Amino acid sequence: MEFGLVLSSYRGDFAPLLYSSSCPAFVNHGSRFRSPSCIKVQNQLHFMSSAALMGSNARCEASRTSTIQEASELADINWDNLGFGLVPTDYMYIAKSPRDGVFTEGGLQRFGPIQMCPSAGILNYGQGLFEGLKAYRKEDGSILLFRPEENAWRMRTGAERMCMPSPTVEHFVDAVKETVLANKRWVPPPGKGSLYIRPLLMGSGAVLGLAPAPEYTFLIFVSPVGNYFKEGLAPINLIVENEFHRAIPGGTGGVKTIGNYAAVLKAQSIAKAKGYSDVLYLDSVHKKYLEEVSSCNVFVVKDKVISTPAIKGTILPGITRKSIIEVAQSQGFQVEERLVAIDELLEADEVFCTGTAVVVSPVGSITYLGKRVEYGDGVGIVSQQLYSALTSLQMGLSEDKLCWTVVVD
């Protein structure tokens, strides 16, 4: 399979776009579409601005160093008004894996639309995974990642379940670092949010019959974000779902495949229309044991014991979940991973959710079969304690004795 480089006029610059000889269509940027020239490349994608191609001063020279220099100053946006939505940044990372299952070294390109065949495996059969992690800026200007190797391992586990090749842990972490550095100016100032990092693994090769795709794409893009829930650290209100189920035994609930999230949109939309923050799902067999919220793991606190549903194939093994368990144990809490019945939830002292996007989100109320149970008047003591401990580690405000943070340099 032959790979090439397409020069596109996205954002007014000539930006490199990968194409594959298996489906040599080009990206259409609407009114900005240009008939692109193709340049074969061997290993690295080189950046060439329109000025460079015309012989003028290059704004983005053909080197990784110039990319990072360009990204050195903060972007001009309202850092005090960040929500959890896409803010287009400068660069994204792309690597390809043809039939041999080995990913190319890959490289950066300008952030923007990508080309894909209508018969791509991800579009027809949902053969795709994603990850989520964050980068934080410290007071000294340095940037930290939080446990990126855990995301890499989870992607590899999910890829095996979805019959896909995946990048090595080293490739994954290096690609994340490279993408963050190239978008350094989009990492919020300390205390203003974080840079959300979204790695994608998808079947991009053309396939018509039900089968694994012949080609795969590993892509990373980023966006500065604030709080996931509009309430921030304020308590959220959940409703227990009885009709719809997020996952079933033997299914894909335990991996971060794209289909898991489309399946929760119906129940979530109904809940939000009624004023709830999100939905809490029960197991699909007995309909009485807690599983997880749409995109978060759930914890129950009772008499200094913290309980959370055990990982048994239907619940995503959250990295924030894992970290909270270890932090809680280090602070003397007893933590149990087991079946947690809905009755225990209704009698709890505190309830909170965890996830990369939400970090720790205290639950103010649970509504089940028309009955609303409230938990105190604000953020619970345990929720606040664990939130403070974890975010202090993530932001580099406390000593990292667990060696969880990675400096991007």
Side-chain angles (χ1 to χ4, degrees):
M1 183 176 298
E2 183 180 46
F3 291 92
L5 181 69
V6 176
L7 300 181
S8 167
S9 61
Y10 182 70
R11 288 189 171 183
D13 295 325
F14 285 95
L17 295 170
L18 287 175
Y19 79 95
S20 164
S21 59
S22 66
C23 186
F26 300 121
V27 178
N28 186 331
H29 294 307
S31 61
R32 294 194 177 198
F33 180 77
R34 301 288 188 274
S35 297
S37 300
C38 297
I39 301 175
K40 294 181 181 179
V41 293
Q42 297 298 321
N43 297 311
Q44 295 284 349
L45 289 179
H46 297 288
F47 298 108
M48 293 171 283
S49 69
S50 55
L53 292 175
M54 297 302 293
S56 303
N57 292 329
R59 192 177 72 181
C60 186
E61 296 175 359
S63 72
R64 181 173 178 272
T65 302
S66 63
T67 301
I68 289 134
Q69 288 174 344
E70 180 182 290
S72 61
E73 295 186 6
L74 282 175
D76 184 19
I77 64 173
N78 185 354
W79 297 108
D80 294 316
N81 195 34
L82 283 177
F84 200 90
L86 178 66
V87 177
T89 53
D90 296 323
Y91 296 101
M92 58 188 180
Y93 175 95
I94 286 185
K96 297 278 187 176
S97 173
R99 292 181 184 275
D100 62 6
V102 178
F103 278 88
T104 60
E105 186 174 350
L108 297 168
Q109 69 177 61
R110 283 286 185 179
F111 176 82
I114 61 173
Q115 69 134 99
M116 190 167 289
C117 289
S119 59
I122 191 171
L123 298 180
N124 290 263
Y125 300 115
Q127 198 183 18
L129 297 164
F130 75 90
E131 279 296 324
L133 62 159
K134 290 178 177 179
Y136 296 87
R137 188 185 296 273
K138 294 178 63 177
E139 291 290 347
D140 64 5
S142 61
I143 296 173
L144 295 179
L145 299 174
F146 185 73
R147 308 188 79 174
E149 72 288 343
E150 292 287 342
N151 294 90
W153 281 114
R154 188 169 65 181
M155 175 171 277
R156 289 181 65 80
T157 299
E160 195 279 330
R161 174 65 176 85
M162 299 299 290
C163 203
M164 298 193 291
S166 62
T168 65
V169 172
E170 182 181 16
H171 185 174
F172 181 102
V173 174
D174 287 346
V176 166
K177 288 182 178 180
E178 187 173 357
T179 309
V180 171
L181 278 174
N183 294 284
K184 186 175 182 179
R185 70 193 189 101
W186 296 98
V187 183
K192 300 294 184 180
S194 59
L195 186 72
Y196 187 83
I197 305 160
R198 173 58 60 84
L200 292 166
L201 181 63
M202 50 192 171
S204 52
V207 60
L208 188 59
L210 179 58
E215 177 190 270
Y216 295 87
T217 297
F218 174 49
L219 184 153
I220 305 173
F221 69 91
V222 299
S223 176
V225 297
N227 292 320
Y228 182 80
F229 289 119
K230 63 181 181 180
E231 296 91 341
L233 189 60
I236 60 173
N237 301 300
L238 302 178
I239 184 170
V240 178
E241 178 57 45
N242 295 297
E243 180 179 352
F244 299 105
H245 293 286
R246 177 191 163 274
I248 61 172
T252 59
V255 299
K256 208 167 174 66
T257 180
I258 58 174
N260 290 349
Y261 296 85
V264 307
L265 296 178
K266 180 70 173 179
Q268 187 185 64
S269 297
I270 294 172
K272 289 188 174 183
K274 295 178 180 179
Y276 298 102
S277 306
D278 214 325
V279 174
L280 174 60
Y281 291 88
L282 299 178
D283 75 288
S284 61
V285 178
H286 305 284
K287 298 185 179 180
K288 72 172 186 177
Y289 296 110
L290 307 186
E291 293 232 314
E292 62 179 86
V293 181
S294 300
S295 58
C296 315
N297 295 113
V298 64
F299 287 77
V300 173
V301 182
K302 182 69 174 179
D303 299 330
K304 302 300 182 180
V305 177
I306 302 174
S307 302
T308 191
I311 302 297
K312 292 187 176 180
T314 57
I315 299 171
L316 187 72
I319 294 163
T320 307
R321 172 191 181 276
K322 179 178 180 179
S323 303
I324 282 291
I325 290 173
E326 295 181 49
V327 168
Q329 289 173 334
S330 72
Q331 295 188 351
F333 288 99
Q334 179 182 340
V335 182
E336 298 178 350
E337 298 181 71
R338 58 178 177 81
L339 291 175
V340 182
I342 183 66
D343 292 342
E344 295 181 64
L345 176 77
L346 302 178
E347 297 174 356
D349 299 327
E350 280 185 54
V351 178
F352 62 88
C353 302
T354 65
T356 298
V358 304
V359 188
V360 174
S361 188
V363 175
S365 74
I366 295 282
T367 299
Y368 175 58
L369 299 178
K371 179 182 178 181
R372 181 184 175 104
V373 176
E374 298 186 350
Y375 305 96
D377 299 323
V379 180
I381 296 174
V382 176
S383 302
Q384 179 66 67
Q385 181 175 333
L386 296 178
Y387 172 83
S388 298
L390 185 61
T391 54
S392 292
L393 278 170
Q394 292 174 327
M395 299 177 188
L397 299 175
S398 60
E399 183 182 359
D400 181 13
K401 297 180 181 179
L402 298 168
C403 299
W404 283 349
T405 56
V406 175
V407 178
V408 178
D409 53 17

